[in-house]
Amino acid sequence: MQRSILILGGTAEARALAGKLASDPRFAVELSLAGRTRAPAEQPVPVRVGGFGGAEGLAVYLRQRGISILIDATHPYAAQISRNAAQAAKISGVPLVALRRSPWPRQPEDRWIEVDSVADAVKALGEAPRKALLTLGRQELLPFEAAPQHHYLVRSVDPVEPPLSVPNAVYLTARGPFEQADEARLLQDYGIEAIVAKNSGGPASYGKIAAARELGIDVVLIRRPDLPDVPSVETVEEMLAWLDHAPVPLK
Ligand code: NAP
């Protein structure tokens, strides 16, 4: 009998995990996306899109669909859906396991300024005009309007619409992975003096961090939010091993 797995996704790992499980006859896998990106990457398993209506809504969905295992493979900064997943698992009794990349460790040559929020990142750029690369989600950029003296290079998956109300901003749309050499070229081409980023972990977006180190550029790094304390693994391989040995009743 197959076990039904719901993967909460929106990350490269969720997609990779779904790809590994797609042809495994032990599992029927569905992937859930929030629906934020306009043209999401193609997925190897059936996909559902959009919110569930909070933890209660997710719990109802888990019961209705007869889900045996809930996997939270969302981005480490997507704290709300992770809290909802923990709560929904409690309500429904469906076992939850999280796939969470470990954060990038700081290297001695890194020029990191760690802050707790986007607003604090804006302050950390300082009063004097600087050229800054912003690699945050397009919904998180508004606080930079409070610092219109800087020149911004904004990179996002979807276009930033409407654009920021600042006199100097250039917009790039691109989807990772990004290599260190390409990132170094971008930083040099635009004369970037500071990067504002999240500590996403994983290799796909590490290129800018390594390039900043190489070029001696400041990185204003927004700290990770607190996430619920649930059983978790760090890699797709560990998740596959967990699934092999999961003491989960068949439904
Ligand atoms: P969030 O603040 O934690 O979640 C806000 C709401 O969006 C949730 O309460 C839920 O709505 C819905 N939602 C989020 N992820 C969902 C999913 N996988 N499936 C169905 N509904 C979902 O999330 P976020 O930070 O906006 O991120 C949204 C998505 O983008 C996540 O899937 C995440 O993995 C991905 N992502 C986020 C970041 C980031 O930096 N935050 C970066 C890369 C990718 P309901 O309460 O109605 O269920």
PDB file of all heavy atoms in Angstrom, residues 58-60 62-63 67-70 85-96 247-249 251:
ATOM      1  N   LEU A  58      -4.658  23.585   6.821  1.00  0.00           N
ATOM      2  CA  LEU A  58      -3.687  22.559   6.429  1.00  0.00           C
ATOM      3  C   LEU A  58      -4.035  21.218   7.098  1.00  0.00           C
ATOM      4  O   LEU A  58      -3.963  20.163   6.459  1.00  0.00           O
ATOM      5  CB  LEU A  58      -2.261  23.022   6.798  1.00  0.00           C
ATOM      6  CG  LEU A  58      -1.133  22.048   6.510  1.00  0.00           C
ATOM      7  CD1 LEU A  58      -1.129  21.557   5.066  1.00  0.00           C
ATOM      8  CD2 LEU A  58       0.226  22.699   6.841  1.00  0.00           C
ATOM      9  N   ALA A  59      -4.441  21.282   8.361  1.00  0.00           N
ATOM     10  CA  ALA A  59      -4.811  20.043   9.072  1.00  0.00           C
ATOM     11  C   ALA A  59      -5.991  19.367   8.372  1.00  0.00           C
ATOM     12  O   ALA A  59      -5.998  18.137   8.192  1.00  0.00           O
ATOM     13  CB  ALA A  59      -5.151  20.364  10.528  1.00  0.00           C
ATOM     14  N   VAL A  60      -6.964  20.167   7.958  1.00  0.00           N
ATOM     15  CA  VAL A  60      -8.132  19.612   7.249  1.00  0.00           C
ATOM     16  C   VAL A  60      -7.675  18.965   5.948  1.00  0.00           C
ATOM     17  O   VAL A  60      -8.087  17.850   5.601  1.00  0.00           O
ATOM     18  CB  VAL A  60      -9.179  20.734   6.979  1.00  0.00           C
ATOM     19  CG1 VAL A  60     -10.247  20.253   6.008  1.00  0.00           C
ATOM     20  CG2 VAL A  60      -9.797  21.210   8.287  1.00  0.00           C
ATOM     21  N   LEU A  62      -4.767  17.711   5.220  1.00  0.00           N
ATOM     22  CA  LEU A  62      -4.013  16.471   5.497  1.00  0.00           C
ATOM     23  C   LEU A  62      -4.980  15.311   5.743  1.00  0.00           C
ATOM     24  O   LEU A  62      -4.783  14.207   5.235  1.00  0.00           O
ATOM     25  CB  LEU A  62      -3.109  16.671   6.718  1.00  0.00           C
ATOM     26  CG  LEU A  62      -1.981  17.692   6.573  1.00  0.00           C
ATOM     27  CD1 LEU A  62      -1.267  17.895   7.907  1.00  0.00           C
ATOM     28  CD2 LEU A  62      -0.979  17.232   5.509  1.00  0.00           C
ATOM     29  N   ARG A  63      -6.031  15.595   6.504  1.00  0.00           N
ATOM     30  CA  ARG A  63      -7.013  14.542   6.812  1.00  0.00           C
ATOM     31  C   ARG A  63      -7.783  14.144   5.566  1.00  0.00           C
ATOM     32  O   ARG A  63      -7.912  12.966   5.253  1.00  0.00           O
ATOM     33  CB  ARG A  63      -7.992  15.051   7.880  1.00  0.00           C
ATOM     34  CG  ARG A  63      -7.422  14.962   9.269  1.00  0.00           C
ATOM     35  CD  ARG A  63      -8.563  14.889  10.293  1.00  0.00           C
ATOM     36  NE  ARG A  63      -8.129  15.495  11.542  1.00  0.00           N
ATOM     37  CZ  ARG A  63      -8.453  16.732  11.924  1.00  0.00           C
ATOM     38  NH1 ARG A  63      -9.231  17.481  11.179  1.00  0.00           N
ATOM     39  NH2 ARG A  63      -8.016  17.195  13.073  1.00  0.00           N
ATOM     40  N   ILE A  67      -3.172  12.027   4.032  1.00  0.00           N
ATOM     41  CA  ILE A  67      -1.705  12.154   3.989  1.00  0.00           C
ATOM     42  C   ILE A  67      -1.067  11.386   5.156  1.00  0.00           C
ATOM     43  O   ILE A  67      -1.520  11.496   6.304  1.00  0.00           O
ATOM     44  CB  ILE A  67      -1.289  13.651   4.058  1.00  0.00           C
ATOM     45  CG1 ILE A  67      -1.896  14.453   2.906  1.00  0.00           C
ATOM     46  CG2 ILE A  67       0.239  13.790   4.111  1.00  0.00           C
ATOM     47  CD1 ILE A  67      -1.395  14.114   1.524  1.00  0.00           C
ATOM     48  N   SER A  68      -0.037  10.594   4.869  1.00  0.00           N
ATOM     49  CA  SER A  68       0.655   9.811   5.907  1.00  0.00           C
ATOM     50  C   SER A  68       1.862  10.548   6.457  1.00  0.00           C
ATOM     51  O   SER A  68       2.267  10.309   7.600  1.00  0.00           O
ATOM     52  CB  SER A  68       1.173   8.490   5.345  1.00  0.00           C
ATOM     53  OG  SER A  68       0.232   7.846   4.580  1.00  0.00           O
ATOM     54  N   ILE A  69       2.496  11.364   5.627  1.00  0.00           N
ATOM     55  CA  ILE A  69       3.711  12.069   6.066  1.00  0.00           C
ATOM     56  C   ILE A  69       3.689  13.477   5.478  1.00  0.00           C
ATOM     57  O   ILE A  69       3.462  13.654   4.272  1.00  0.00           O
ATOM     58  CB  ILE A  69       4.997  11.362   5.568  1.00  0.00           C
ATOM     59  CG1 ILE A  69       5.033   9.902   6.010  1.00  0.00           C
ATOM     60  CG2 ILE A  69       6.247  12.096   6.061  1.00  0.00           C
ATOM     61  CD1 ILE A  69       6.134   9.083   5.334  1.00  0.00           C
ATOM     62  N   LEU A  70       3.951  14.460   6.351  1.00  0.00           N
ATOM     63  CA  LEU A  70       4.052  15.852   5.898  1.00  0.00           C
ATOM     64  C   LEU A  70       5.526  16.251   5.938  1.00  0.00           C
ATOM     65  O   LEU A  70       6.190  16.068   6.970  1.00  0.00           O
ATOM     66  CB  LEU A  70       3.245  16.762   6.827  1.00  0.00           C
ATOM     67  CG  LEU A  70       3.335  18.267   6.566  1.00  0.00           C
ATOM     68  CD1 LEU A  70       2.839  18.619   5.161  1.00  0.00           C
ATOM     69  CD2 LEU A  70       2.538  19.039   7.624  1.00  0.00           C
ATOM     70  N   ALA A  85       2.752  24.276   9.637  1.00  0.00           N
ATOM     71  CA  ALA A  85       2.973  22.836   9.443  1.00  0.00           C
ATOM     72  C   ALA A  85       3.096  22.133  10.793  1.00  0.00           C
ATOM     73  O   ALA A  85       2.503  21.062  10.999  1.00  0.00           O
ATOM     74  CB  ALA A  85       4.224  22.616   8.589  1.00  0.00           C
ATOM     75  N   ALA A  86       3.847  22.740  11.721  1.00  0.00           N
ATOM     76  CA  ALA A  86       4.025  22.131  13.049  1.00  0.00           C
ATOM     77  C   ALA A  86       2.683  22.023  13.757  1.00  0.00           C
ATOM     78  O   ALA A  86       2.363  20.987  14.364  1.00  0.00           O
ATOM     79  CB  ALA A  86       5.013  22.969  13.865  1.00  0.00           C
ATOM     80  N   GLN A  87       1.895  23.082  13.671  1.00  0.00           N
ATOM     81  CA  GLN A  87       0.592  23.119  14.335  1.00  0.00           C
ATOM     82  C   GLN A  87      -0.367  22.111  13.691  1.00  0.00           C
ATOM     83  O   GLN A  87      -1.055  21.367  14.379  1.00  0.00           O
ATOM     84  CB  GLN A  87       0.045  24.556  14.213  1.00  0.00           C
ATOM     85  CG  GLN A  87      -1.222  24.833  14.975  1.00  0.00           C
ATOM     86  CD  GLN A  87      -1.032  24.697  16.482  1.00  0.00           C
ATOM     87  OE1 GLN A  87       0.088  24.804  16.982  1.00  0.00           O
ATOM     88  NE2 GLN A  87      -2.111  24.394  17.186  1.00  0.00           N
ATOM     89  N   ALA A  88      -0.365  22.077  12.352  1.00  0.00           N
ATOM     90  CA  ALA A  88      -1.271  21.173  11.627  1.00  0.00           C
ATOM     91  C   ALA A  88      -0.919  19.711  11.920  1.00  0.00           C
ATOM     92  O   ALA A  88      -1.804  18.859  12.020  1.00  0.00           O
ATOM     93  CB  ALA A  88      -1.190  21.452  10.129  1.00  0.00           C
ATOM     94  N   ALA A  89       0.374  19.431  12.058  1.00  0.00           N
ATOM     95  CA  ALA A  89       0.797  18.061  12.369  1.00  0.00           C
ATOM     96  C   ALA A  89       0.262  17.654  13.742  1.00  0.00           C
ATOM     97  O   ALA A  89      -0.204  16.524  13.933  1.00  0.00           O
ATOM     98  CB  ALA A  89       2.323  17.968  12.327  1.00  0.00           C
ATOM     99  N   LYS A  90       0.304  18.607  14.696  1.00  0.00           N
ATOM    100  CA  LYS A  90      -0.226  18.324  16.039  1.00  0.00           C
ATOM    101  C   LYS A  90      -1.719  18.061  15.983  1.00  0.00           C
ATOM    102  O   LYS A  90      -2.219  17.092  16.554  1.00  0.00           O
ATOM    103  CB  LYS A  90       0.026  19.548  16.940  1.00  0.00           C
ATOM    104  CG  LYS A  90       1.215  19.381  17.843  1.00  0.00           C
ATOM    105  CD  LYS A  90       1.229  20.466  18.894  1.00  0.00           C
ATOM    106  CE  LYS A  90       2.671  20.703  19.323  1.00  0.00           C
ATOM    107  NZ  LYS A  90       2.930  22.076  19.683  1.00  0.00           N
ATOM    108  N   ILE A  91      -2.435  18.934  15.278  1.00  0.00           N
ATOM    109  CA  ILE A  91      -3.904  18.820  15.218  1.00  0.00           C
ATOM    110  C   ILE A  91      -4.313  17.498  14.565  1.00  0.00           C
ATOM    111  O   ILE A  91      -5.199  16.796  15.030  1.00  0.00           O
ATOM    112  CB  ILE A  91      -4.517  19.991  14.403  1.00  0.00           C
ATOM    113  CG1 ILE A  91      -4.213  21.340  15.061  1.00  0.00           C
ATOM    114  CG2 ILE A  91      -6.024  19.817  14.234  1.00  0.00           C
ATOM    115  CD1 ILE A  91      -4.561  22.545  14.175  1.00  0.00           C
ATOM    116  N   SER A  92      -3.624  17.162  13.473  1.00  0.00           N
ATOM    117  CA  SER A  92      -4.068  16.023  12.653  1.00  0.00           C
ATOM    118  C   SER A  92      -3.423  14.699  13.059  1.00  0.00           C
ATOM    119  O   SER A  92      -3.896  13.637  12.661  1.00  0.00           O
ATOM    120  CB  SER A  92      -3.739  16.296  11.183  1.00  0.00           C
ATOM    121  OG  SER A  92      -2.328  16.373  11.033  1.00  0.00           O
ATOM    122  N   GLY A  93      -2.329  14.781  13.808  1.00  0.00           N
ATOM    123  CA  GLY A  93      -1.603  13.556  14.160  1.00  0.00           C
ATOM    124  C   GLY A  93      -0.755  13.013  13.022  1.00  0.00           C
ATOM    125  O   GLY A  93      -0.213  11.910  13.111  1.00  0.00           O
ATOM    126  N   VAL A  94      -0.626  13.771  11.939  1.00  0.00           N
ATOM    127  CA  VAL A  94       0.205  13.329  10.804  1.00  0.00           C
ATOM    128  C   VAL A  94       1.671  13.645  11.122  1.00  0.00           C
ATOM    129  O   VAL A  94       1.986  14.773  11.505  1.00  0.00           O
ATOM    130  CB  VAL A  94      -0.225  14.046   9.492  1.00  0.00           C
ATOM    131  CG1 VAL A  94       0.754  13.742   8.365  1.00  0.00           C
ATOM    132  CG2 VAL A  94      -1.632  13.620   9.102  1.00  0.00           C
ATOM    133  N   PRO A  95       2.572  12.667  10.990  1.00  0.00           N
ATOM    134  CA  PRO A  95       3.971  12.927  11.297  1.00  0.00           C
ATOM    135  C   PRO A  95       4.573  13.978  10.360  1.00  0.00           C
ATOM    136  O   PRO A  95       4.297  13.974   9.160  1.00  0.00           O
ATOM    137  CB  PRO A  95       4.662  11.576  11.076  1.00  0.00           C
ATOM    138  CG  PRO A  95       3.596  10.583  10.911  1.00  0.00           C
ATOM    139  CD  PRO A  95       2.327  11.286  10.558  1.00  0.00           C
ATOM    140  N   LEU A  96       5.382  14.860  10.953  1.00  0.00           N
ATOM    141  CA  LEU A  96       6.016  15.949  10.198  1.00  0.00           C
ATOM    142  C   LEU A  96       7.523  15.812  10.304  1.00  0.00           C
ATOM    143  O   LEU A  96       8.062  15.526  11.390  1.00  0.00           O
ATOM    144  CB  LEU A  96       5.597  17.297  10.805  1.00  0.00           C
ATOM    145  CG  LEU A  96       6.415  18.528  10.403  1.00  0.00           C
ATOM    146  CD1 LEU A  96       6.202  18.869   8.921  1.00  0.00           C
ATOM    147  CD2 LEU A  96       6.018  19.739  11.271  1.00  0.00           C
ATOM    148  N   PRO A 247       9.057   5.301  11.190  1.00  0.00           N
ATOM    149  CA  PRO A 247       8.085   4.424  11.858  1.00  0.00           C
ATOM    150  C   PRO A 247       6.685   4.988  11.671  1.00  0.00           C
ATOM    151  O   PRO A 247       6.041   5.405  12.617  1.00  0.00           O
ATOM    152  CB  PRO A 247       8.535   4.485  13.320  1.00  0.00           C
ATOM    153  CG  PRO A 247       9.144   5.844  13.464  1.00  0.00           C
ATOM    154  CD  PRO A 247       9.681   6.245  12.121  1.00  0.00           C
ATOM    155  N   VAL A 248       6.242   4.984  10.415  1.00  0.00           N
ATOM    156  CA  VAL A 248       4.961   5.637  10.112  1.00  0.00           C
ATOM    157  C   VAL A 248       3.924   4.578   9.779  1.00  0.00           C
ATOM    158  O   VAL A 248       4.166   3.712   8.951  1.00  0.00           O
ATOM    159  CB  VAL A 248       5.140   6.578   8.901  1.00  0.00           C
ATOM    160  CG1 VAL A 248       3.814   7.155   8.472  1.00  0.00           C
ATOM    161  CG2 VAL A 248       6.102   7.691   9.272  1.00  0.00           C
ATOM    162  N   PRO A 249       2.772   4.640  10.456  1.00  0.00           N
ATOM    163  CA  PRO A 249       1.738   3.649  10.129  1.00  0.00           C
ATOM    164  C   PRO A 249       1.251   3.824   8.697  1.00  0.00           C
ATOM    165  O   PRO A 249       1.131   4.949   8.214  1.00  0.00           O
ATOM    166  CB  PRO A 249       0.617   3.982  11.116  1.00  0.00           C
ATOM    167  CG  PRO A 249       0.873   5.386  11.565  1.00  0.00           C
ATOM    168  CD  PRO A 249       2.339   5.627  11.428  1.00  0.00           C
ATOM    169  N   LYS A 251      -1.408   4.157   5.824  1.00  0.00           N
ATOM    170  CA  LYS A 251      -2.792   4.631   5.838  1.00  0.00           C
ATOM    171  C   LYS A 251      -3.522   4.090   4.642  1.00  0.00           C
ATOM    172  O   LYS A 251      -2.911   3.884   3.617  1.00  0.00           O
ATOM    173  CB  LYS A 251      -2.818   6.153   5.832  1.00  0.00           C
ATOM    174  CG  LYS A 251      -2.460   6.701   7.170  1.00  0.00           C
ATOM    175  CD  LYS A 251      -2.948   8.143   7.313  1.00  0.00           C
ATOM    176  CE  LYS A 251      -2.721   8.651   8.730  1.00  0.00           C
ATOM    177  NZ  LYS A 251      -3.204   9.984   8.921  1.00  0.00           N
TER     178      LYS A 251
END
